[in-house]
């Protein structure tokens, strides 16, 4: 009798716990609603940080441009940490893991551009910008289903 009662309680607790588990994973729309403000803040920060960077590179002020890229890399790393903390839709975990990996690569490439510019290697910096653009396209392709606005990466706005 005690065993039957214990089994009933166990089964009942599974049914009661199931909705809680399901509710923990957000939908795509809920995920988008949580991450877009993070991406918007990062986009606005990069617009401010990288304002005039093209002009500086054209004028040969590579070190100053490098400092701007370093700041942009730091801002993107901060946004990445925030994005990683947002619960993901279970069905999209693999897709979002790849996307976040591409964003990490973007931050690393921003750092490489900064380093190249600070050492006066304009051609090397341009090569990194090409890689940056390619990586942004790969990232965007991963998350097309989310129809992001601010979370779509567009380095051409800054480089």
């Amino acid at each position: 009798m005690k065993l039957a009662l214990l089994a009933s309680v166990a089964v009942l607790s599974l049914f009661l716990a199931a909705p809680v588990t399901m509710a923990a994973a957000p939908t795509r729309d809920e995920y988008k609603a949580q991450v877009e403000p993070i991406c918007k803040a990062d986009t606005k920060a990069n617009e401010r940080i990288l304002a005039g960077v093209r002009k500086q590179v054209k004028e040969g002020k590579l070190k100053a441009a490098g400092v701007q890229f370093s700041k942009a890399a730091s801002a993107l790393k901060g946004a990445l940490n925030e994005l990683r903390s947002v619960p993901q839709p279970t069905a999209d975990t693999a897709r979002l893991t790849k996307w976040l990996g591409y964003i990490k690569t973007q931050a690393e490439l921003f750092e490489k551009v900064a380093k190249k510019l600070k050492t006066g290697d304009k051609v090397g910096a341009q090569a990194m910008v090409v890689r940056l653009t390619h990586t942004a396209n790969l990232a965007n392709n991963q998350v097309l289903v989310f129809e992001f606005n601010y979370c779509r990466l567009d380095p051409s706005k800054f480089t």
Side-chain angles (χ1 to χ4, degrees):
M1 185 71 167
K2 287 183 181 179
L3 187 59
L5 181 62
L6 196 56
S8 296
V9 169
V11 169
L12 182 60
S13 66
L14 286 175
F15 282 112
L16 293 175
V20 172
T21 304
M22 293 173 146
T27 65
R28 283 183 178 166
D29 287 338
E30 291 167 340
Y31 182 78
K32 179 180 176 180
Q34 287 184 298
V35 299
E36 281 282 72
I38 297 167
C39 295
K40 181 178 182 178
D42 182 63
T43 299
K44 297 297 181 189
N46 278 334
E47 286 173 355
R48 183 182 40 78
I49 293 167
L50 294 172
V53 75
R54 283 186 192 143
K55 183 179 177 188
Q56 288 192 347
V57 170
K58 285 181 182 179
E59 292 175 354
K61 299 176 183 175
L62 302 182
K63 287 185 183 183
V67 169
Q68 287 178 274
F69 270 94
S70 290
K71 289 178 182 177
S74 293
L76 186 54
K77 284 180 182 178
L80 176 60
N81 287 334
E82 287 184 61
L83 291 170
R84 284 180 174 153
S85 70
V86 176
Q88 301 173 351
T90 306
D92 294 305
T93 300
R95 173 190 319 270
L96 292 170
T97 298
K98 276 187 176 180
W99 178 63
L100 293 171
Y102 286 131
I103 293 174
K104 179 180 183 243
T105 301
Q106 292 268 143
E108 292 166 354
L109 289 169
F110 268 102
E111 288 175 332
K112 288 179 181 180
V113 170
K115 185 176 180 179
K116 298 278 186 191
L117 289 171
K118 288 176 184 177
T119 61
D121 184 2
K122 185 176 177 179
V123 174
Q126 289 171 330
M128 291 298 110
V129 168
V130 170
R131 288 183 59 197
L132 191 66
T133 302
H134 176 70
T135 303
N137 289 334
L138 293 172
N140 291 338
N141 287 340
Q142 280 299 312
V143 290
L144 285 173
V145 296
F146 287 90
E147 298 179 0
F148 286 139
N149 182 21
Y150 289 102
C151 290
R152 288 188 71 246
L153 305 171
D154 186 8
S156 67
K157 289 178 10 182
F158 311 117
T159 57

